[in-house]
Amino acid sequence: MRIAIVAESFLPLMNGVTHSILRVLEHLEDQGHDVLVIAPSTYAVSEFVGPAEVVHGATVHRVPAVPLAGYTNVRVAMGGVYRVKRILADYAPDVVHLASPFILGWRAVQAAHQLGIPTVAIYQTEVPSYAARYGVPFLENWAWNRVENIHLLATRTLVPSTFALNQLRGRGIPRVGMWRRGVDTARFSPEKRDAGWRATVAPGGERIIGYVGRLAIEKQVEDLAALANVPNTKLVIVGDGPQKSALQEALPGAVFTGFLGGEELAKTVASFDLFVHPGEFETFCQTIQEAMASGVPVVATGRGGPLDLVENSRTGWLYQPGDLAGFRARVMDLMGDDAKRRAFATTAHASVQARTWPVLSAELVRQYQSVIAGEPLAETVETKSRRPVVESAQTKSGASL
């Protein structure tokens, strides 16, 4: 197939969207497909063309972009529908993959529609809900209108979790299916646990509570202050972002590693005793899956993607959004019971072993083939609406917190 991937963000910016695209590109290259990536430029507008790029066999076509105010490593594409339409017309893809579409993706879905090219839109970022977190709640309705318009026009929308599925269906979006995310179970493994690293970070033998993710407002990393002074623990925060300085002030006892990647990240995650994620706006949350693959149990907020990933009293705990006392109690439950934590860790590791990127990428290719053939979206057990609930910490364990 000839596949055009329109990326709202791409290299050198590493985030969940970029990571997913890179893993899909690896699979498409292995299978011999021809791929074009359309992404925001990393150069000044006057010199946006830049050098030719090839990533995992895909040609990267950059379009003019400017840095987002207050978050300069995020680039926002400029221009209109005509520019994207011309690129797509010249390339003549069989299908257009819209990766977390919002600005560039909105132009692309219109361009593809005008050219009669089928589109697969990947809903991956809950942009409208960021508005209140960033102090502009009046933009939330406008942002939802944009999201709805994109997915109404797309041939098919794929979401990573039942929360996202129900969210879009509740807003009247048709043709919504499920496409989860894979995890590299060779890279993220309990075997990467490093006693030397642990001794450096927690020389007193403390148990290590870890977070991995962007240090940005929407991640609610400041909620980790609820874990201050949990006995015999050390908090480690992996990542970088505009909130780093403020978080270092708010969490003076935490170890900040900065951005980590590759084997260094895998070693660090496997060396945690517990993984925590307080963000309420995750449509999936890949870092939770990577922690579980590393044999680390999870405590996360009970909204969004974590509802599908974390099973209460088996792989970790979920807590009600905003209930920071409950958050702390669930962390203390696992920090204070080594046998329970080890049991959760074993189950967490086993639960993700079938979710490899080759399996999930092959599933995505079948979605491409289906929309190219004009087939209706097949209803599966996963896409039947269901509403996960957050159970109390004592529902299954019987332990009083």
Side-chain angles (χ1 to χ4, degrees), residues 13 18 25 86 135 182 193 259 274 295 344 352 360 381:
L13 177 65
T18 303
L25 288 178
R86 186 179 61 199
R193 191 173 177 90
F259 176 82
L274 180 68
F344 279 28
V352 300
L360 273 295
V381 171

Side-chain angles (χ1 to χ4, degrees), residues 286-304:
Q286 180 67 7
T287 55
I288 285 180
Q289 206 168 229
E290 290 168 352
M292 294 168 75
S294 303
V296 180
V298 176
V299 175
T301 185
R303 184 186 186 276

Side-chain angles (χ1 to χ4, degrees), residues 4-9 21 36-39 84 88 96-101 104-106 108-109:
I5 297 179
V6 181
E8 205 69 45
S9 62
I21 294 171
L36 173 71
V37 175
I38 304 171
V84 182
L88 291 178
V96 176
H97 169 138
L98 305 167
S100 195
L104 181 58
W106 170 229
V109 75

